Amino acid sequence: MTKADKAYELLKESYPHAKCGLDYGTPFQLLVSTMLSAQATDKSVNQVTEDLYKQYPDLNSFLELTQEEIENKIRKIGLYKNKAKNIYKMLRELKERHNGEVPKNMEDLMSLSGVGRKTASVVLVEAFKIPAFPVDTHVFRITRRIGLSTATTPDKVSDEMMSKLPKYKWHLMHHLLITHGRETCIAQNPKCEACSVSNICNYFRNNKK
DNA sequence: AACTCGGGGCA
DNA sequence: TGCCCAGAGTT
């Protein structure tokens, strides 16, 4: 059993409640929500999108909004100017280049304005159940702390994790790692005393033991 | 690789 | 108050 497999089993035991924190209905809504979630909390995104998707449930209704209107509707979330600009452009790219459908592959998703590898991966995995491995700041920090990856960029960590775990474990492992990062392996002063993988963690061995 | 955007959450 | 956050684009 590899270290990655072992971490998977231990974390699975600890976080039976692990899941994606974003509320959404359709793939289109998940795409928008994930774009909004950059450098913001799920909670603030869910608060804003709950009413937003009732009024504007799909691409065509979003297309009626001006960039300024989008900006005003997401003002409670950080980086709203950038996000509104990117979403406004992305909506039109979906219409013009993708027949109004959310693309189901990494390359087309990443070609959309404001969509990077992390957002594209989340949409593939959560909306379409297509294997991918999103790496956000939590996953990046944790995989390096434990010693599952020594890669220096999120893209490389994503590739490394995919190579170390069987495909069917990718989806849950992503949820386990972000949950671990939110509840236990936090950025400052991680709660190593409450951590279920401390026995295989490089950070714990080097700093706390 | 470093910088910028940004309001909200939390100490 | 001050610091950080489920990122992406630009230089």
Side-chain angles (χ1 to χ4, degrees):
Chain A
M1 183 180 262
T2 66
K3 189 167 183 174
D5 286 303
K6 187 150 192 172
Y8 175 90
E9 296 301 332
L10 291 169
L11 292 170
K12 187 177 172 183
E13 192 88 5
S14 306
Y15 306 113
H17 57 295
K19 65 174 180 65
C20 173
L22 289 174
D23 296 336
Y24 68 98
T26 66
F28 171 75
Q29 291 170 353
L30 177 63
L31 174 58
V32 174
S33 289
T34 310
M35 292 176 72
L36 291 175
S37 76
Q39 294 296 98
T41 59
D42 296 358
K43 199 177 161 188
S44 65
V45 174
N46 289 339
Q47 263 175 351
V48 165
T49 57
E50 184 178 0
D51 292 332
L52 189 58
Y53 295 156
K54 278 181 196 160
Q55 263 192 294
Y56 306 93
D58 53 22
L59 174 61
N60 284 330
S61 47
F62 262 83
L63 282 168
E64 295 172 8
L65 295 166
T66 65
Q67 187 173 319
E68 288 71 24
E69 285 171 332
I70 296 175
E71 197 176 308
N72 286 329
K73 291 182 185 306
I74 65 172
R75 195 173 286 276
K76 282 185 180 172
I77 307 175
L79 309 182
Y80 60 88
K81 277 179 186 291
N82 274 341
K83 287 171 183 175
K85 185 180 73 180
N86 285 329
I87 288 171
Y88 183 84
K89 286 179 69 178
M90 179 279 293
L91 298 170
R92 279 146 189 82
E93 292 162 358
L94 274 187
K95 181 82 174 178
E96 290 159 17
R97 304 209 306 255
H98 300 286
N99 204 19
E101 297 289 323
V102 179
K104 296 184 180 175
N105 65 80
M106 182 69 79
E107 188 184 350
D108 288 342
L109 279 167
M110 284 185 66
S111 74
L112 297 169
S113 294
V115 178
R117 178 159 170 169
K118 190 265 173 179
T119 299
S121 304
V122 168
V123 171
L124 288 177
V125 170
E126 303 295 339
F128 300 129
K129 310 302 177 197
I130 295 171
F133 205 96
V135 173
D136 48 50
T137 53
H138 284 323
V139 174
F140 186 69
R141 177 179 71 250
I142 295 164
T143 51
R144 290 166 51 81
R145 270 186 183 160
I146 297 176
L148 299 178
S149 173
T150 56
T152 52
T153 68
D155 283 3
K156 290 179 185 172
V157 170
S158 179
D159 290 336
E160 202 172 339
M161 290 306 294
M162 288 191 286
S163 73
K164 285 184 176 177
L165 284 173
K167 236 177 223 185
Y168 76 93
K169 291 185 178 177
W170 294 357
H171 189 193
L172 180 55
M173 186 59 158
H174 172 240
H175 288 179
L176 292 171
L177 289 173
I178 57 181
T179 304
H180 186 53
R182 188 170 51 215
E183 298 186 8
T184 310
C185 196
I186 52 182
Q188 275 78 37
N189 301 112
K191 304 173 181 174
C192 297
E193 68 282 358
C195 176
S196 59
V197 294
S198 60
N199 59 325
I200 60 169
C201 176
N202 290 357
Y203 178 90
F204 181 73
R205 190 174 64 237
N206 297 332
N207 298 294
K208 299 267 184 145
K209 201 169 172 181

